[in-house]
Amino acid sequence: MNASVRLSLSSLRAHKRRFAGTFLAVFLGVAFLAGTLVMGDTLRAGFDTMFGNATSGTDAVVRSADAITTPGESEGVREPVDTDLVSTIEQVPGVAAAAPNIQGAGQLVGRNGDPIGGQGPPTLAGNWIADPELNAYQLAEGRTPQKSGEVVIDRGTAERGDLNIGDTTTLRTPDPIKVTVVGLATFGGEDGMAQVTFTGMTQADAEKYLTAGPGEAASIQVRAGPGVSQQELVDELTPVLPNGVEAITGQESAQENTDMISSQFLTVFTTFLLVFSGVALLVATFSIHNTFAIVVAQRTRENALLRALGASRRQVTASTLVEATAVAVTASVA
C-alpha cells in the first residue's frame, strides 16, 4: 500500500473525534441535497399516479382549441365550449357517456370564519358530474348535490376548515353564497389534490355563479364504449366538432394537468428547498475548511517530523488529500 495512504488511514484511526465534525458536516449537506431531489421526484411521481387514477374513466376531453396566454404564463385560459355539444357527442359511434365540466374559482370559508386555502394552490369550484367514471372526484360520504345551495367538498378541505356534512358555510365565487355541505369526496384515492380545494355544485348553480352565461363549460368529458381506444375515440369525435373546438385523449389531458401542477407548485417547492440545501452545503463547506485548517495546523510538528524522516512535500500533501477524500466519500455514501 502507498505510504501516503497508510499514513492517512493511521491518522484517521488515531484522531476519530477530530474528524467527526467534518464527517457530520458532509453528511448533512449531502443528505439535505439528495433528500430534496428525491422528494421532488417522488412528489411528481405521486401526482402522475393520482391524476392517472382520478381521470382513468375519461377517455377524451373536448375543449376550445385556442388558449389565451399572457406574458410569463405557460398555460393560457381557454374559451368555454357550448354544453349543447354534449347531445351531439353522445350520438358519435364509440361514445358511452359525455358530461360538461364547468370550472371556476370558489373559496370556502371554514368554521372559524377564515377562508380555506388560497395561499398558492388554486381554490376550485365546479359542477358535480353524475357519471362516477367521468368525475375525477369520488363520493366518499354523504350524497351528491340535488338542489341549489348544496355542495360536495373534498375531505382535505373539510378537515382544514373543520366542516362536516350538514354544515352551512360561505362559498366565495367571488360573490359570497350560502352553501350546505351534503357530501365529502376523495381525489384519486386521496383526501384531496395536495392543497387544492374543490367544491362540487349542481350544474345549474355552477352555470349561474361560475360562468359568464348559461350553456357554457370549460370542457366536455367523454367516456368510450367497450373496445374503443382513446385515440380511436378522438378520431371519431374530431369530424363532428365545430371550428375552434378540439378533442384530446384522456391521457394527454391528465399529463397536462400534472405538468401544470408541477410547474406551478412542485417546481417552486423544490426550488425553495434547493436554496436551503445550497445554504447547508455552503455552511458545510466553511465548516469542513475550518476543520481541516485546524487539523493541518495541529499536525505541524507531525508534518515536520515526516519531512525530517525523508517524506517529500508531495507525500505530505497527498496524505492530507487522502484523509479529506476518505471523509468525503464515507459521509456522502452514508
Side-chain angles (χ1 to χ4, degrees):
M1 185 184 294
N2 185 280
S4 297
V5 175
R6 288 200 304 268
L7 179 62
S8 300
L9 295 179
S10 297
S11 178
L12 287 172
R13 286 194 297 268
H15 305 95
K16 296 183 180 69
R17 291 185 179 181
R18 188 168 64 187
F19 291 98
T22 308
F23 178 93
L24 185 60
V26 176
F27 176 87
L28 292 178
V30 175
F32 201 166
L33 178 61
T36 298
L37 296 175
V38 169
M39 182 169 63
D41 288 343
T42 301
L43 287 173
R44 286 187 177 87
F47 273 111
D48 286 341
T49 302
M50 185 187 299
F51 273 109
N53 293 338
T55 61
S56 59
T58 299
D59 296 302
V61 175
V62 175
R63 67 184 188 183
S64 173
D66 300 319
I68 303 174
T69 59
T70 58
E73 288 187 352
S74 57
E75 293 289 333
V77 177
R78 295 184 181 273
E79 292 288 331
V81 296
D82 197 330
T83 55
D84 288 341
L85 273 175
V86 172
S87 58
T88 301
I89 291 172
E90 288 176 336
Q91 304 304 315
V92 174
V95 172
N101 180 23
I102 302 171
Q103 293 182 358
Q107 187 173 43
L108 281 166
V109 175
R111 182 184 296 273
N112 60 3
D114 294 333
I116 307 171
Q119 289 80 36
T123 54
L124 303 177
N127 64 309
W128 181 262
I129 298 176
D131 190 313
E133 294 188 59
L134 291 177
N135 196 338
Y137 288 85
Q138 297 79 43
L139 187 68
E141 299 178 45
R143 59 175 177 83
T144 62
Q146 305 292 330
K147 59 183 181 180
S148 179
E150 295 183 340
V151 297
V152 172
I153 64 177
D154 62 279
R155 272 179 170 171
T157 300
E159 291 177 2
R160 293 196 297 275
D162 192 22
L163 296 174
N164 301 301
I165 294 176
D167 289 347
T168 299
T169 185
T170 300
L171 177 68
R172 300 173 178 175
T173 62
D175 293 332
I177 57 175
K178 290 293 182 181
V179 295
T180 300
V181 179
V182 296
L184 302 180
T186 58
F187 182 89
E190 304 294 334
D191 286 346
M193 185 172 58
Q195 297 299 307
V196 175
T197 68
F198 173 75
T199 305
M201 320 162 72
T202 63
Q203 182 172 334
D205 276 357
E207 289 183 350
K208 179 179 180 180
Y209 298 112
L210 304 178
T211 66
E216 294 182 351
S219 63
I220 297 174
Q221 315 290 106
V222 186
R223 177 163 56 86
V228 180
S229 69
Q230 292 191 359
Q231 189 57 55
E232 289 173 343
L233 181 62
V234 169
D235 293 340
E236 291 286 347
L237 290 171
T238 300
V240 305
L241 299 178
N243 292 333
V245 179
E246 66 177 2
I248 62 173
T249 65
Q251 291 178 343
E252 291 174 331
S253 177
Q255 187 59 52
E256 285 184 2
N257 288 329
T258 302
D259 292 342
M260 179 184 65
I261 293 294
S262 176
S263 63
Q264 293 183 354
F265 171 65
L266 292 183
T267 300
V268 175
F269 181 66
T270 53
T271 300
F272 179 76
L273 290 181
L274 281 173
V275 170
F276 275 94
S277 65
V279 172
L281 285 175
L282 180 62
V283 173
T285 300
F286 282 111
S287 175
I288 294 165
H289 176 272
N290 291 336
T291 301
F292 269 97
I294 294 171
V295 168
V296 172
Q298 290 175 341
R299 288 173 50 182
T300 300
R301 290 185 179 181
E302 182 180 327
N303 291 337
L305 178 59
L306 291 174
R307 292 299 302 277
L309 293 175
S312 66
R313 180 189 299 271
R314 182 177 180 179
Q315 287 176 316
V316 174
T317 302
S319 173
T320 303
L321 291 177
V322 168
E323 293 179 23
T325 303
V327 173
V329 171
T330 304
S332 297
V333 171

